[in-house]
Amino acid sequence: MSAWQRAGDTSDPAALLGRLSGGDREAFADFYRVTSARVYGMALRVLRDPGYAEETVQEVYLQVWRTASSFDPARGSAMSWLITLAHRRAIDRVRSEQASSDRDNVYGAADTAAGYDDVAEAVVRNDEQRAVSDCLETLTAVQRSSVDLAYYGGLTYRQVAERLQVALPTIKSRMRDGLARLRDCLGGQSRDHGGRAHD
């Protein structure tokens, strides 16, 4: 058994993936606990909808459970592998929703009532996007920069620390505090996902 597969390691994503590939359900729970905040944040940034983001997170971890054995630590970090899976899944959801929206728009063009529904939906979506944007503005400069680089740039904590020239423990602390502040700000929109991420 390699060092990254030690059963006692409950915080290192690579070690947990090694155990998870063997069907270890406890390792899966630990992996979710350690990584889900980043996956949710990235999905929310791409999708701009807490409900869609939560559904995408569920799909990502189902995929992880099924394909953990395909992770190769020689090709990159566990977080990079996971964020890549999550980003692809979120983009797929965007494309799917866009295709569905396009079909609805074509159908609704002949139906005046459907036109009103489209406008109402657009207003709701704009309000949700504005809420996320407003909440991001409540973060400190370091928190906002860290979130941008991690979720939008796909960088690891260490890479974010190097980019911002800030100590790694400080970056981890700022990210944790920033995510907590975002979840508090978004309130009911994110339902109970935030609490699960920090269990």
Side-chain angles (χ1 to χ4, degrees):
M1 180 179 293
S2 64
W4 59 276
Q5 290 178 306
R6 285 194 298 269
D9 195 337
T10 61
S11 61
D12 177 60
L16 292 169
L17 272 177
R19 292 168 48 202
L20 206 162
S21 64
D24 186 330
R25 292 179 180 274
E26 186 175 330
F28 180 77
D30 288 334
F31 185 76
Y32 178 87
R33 174 182 54 78
V34 169
T35 62
S36 61
R38 286 190 62 184
V39 172
Y40 176 74
M42 191 278 296
L44 182 61
R45 181 58 179 247
V46 172
L47 295 165
R48 303 280 185 171
D49 181 289
Y52 288 156
E54 288 184 3
E55 290 173 8
T56 299
V57 168
Q58 292 174 5
E59 293 168 0
V60 168
Y61 283 96
L62 180 59
Q63 183 178 357
V64 167
W65 175 254
R66 292 172 174 167
T67 65
S69 60
S70 69
F71 167 66
D72 180 0
R75 298 180 62 184
S77 73
M79 282 307 305
S80 294
W81 179 77
L82 178 62
I83 291 299
T84 298
L85 291 182
H87 187 262
R88 288 176 182 164
R89 182 71 67 168
I91 293 299
D92 286 346
R93 170 56 74 93
V94 169
R95 289 174 178 158
S96 174
E97 292 301 321
Q98 184 61 52
S100 176
S101 177
D102 290 346
R103 287 192 299 272
D104 290 345
N105 287 340
V106 169
Y107 175 79
D111 186 344
T112 302
Y116 287 117
D117 290 342
D118 290 343
V119 171
E121 182 177 345
V123 170
V124 170
R125 286 189 181 280
N126 285 338
D127 285 344
E128 291 173 347
Q129 291 174 7
R130 194 176 303 112
V132 172
S133 179
D134 289 345
C135 287
L136 284 170
E137 291 301 318
T138 68
L139 304 184
T140 67
V142 173
Q143 288 171 340
R144 192 163 50 250
S145 296
S146 300
V147 169
D148 283 342
L149 291 171
Y151 297 146
Y152 312 146
L155 301 185
T156 65
Y157 284 140
R158 188 172 302 281
Q159 290 169 332
V160 170
E162 291 171 357
R163 180 74 61 86
L164 297 179
Q165 297 183 332
V166 176
L168 180 59
T170 301
I171 288 296
K172 289 182 177 181
S173 174
R174 295 299 183 272
M175 291 282 286
R176 185 169 53 250
D177 294 345
L179 286 171
R181 184 179 294 187
L182 277 177
R183 290 203 174 90
D184 288 344
C185 181
L186 290 170
Q189 292 184 40
S190 60
R191 283 171 278 185
D192 63 343
H193 180 93
R196 294 198 302 271
H198 289 282
D199 285 345

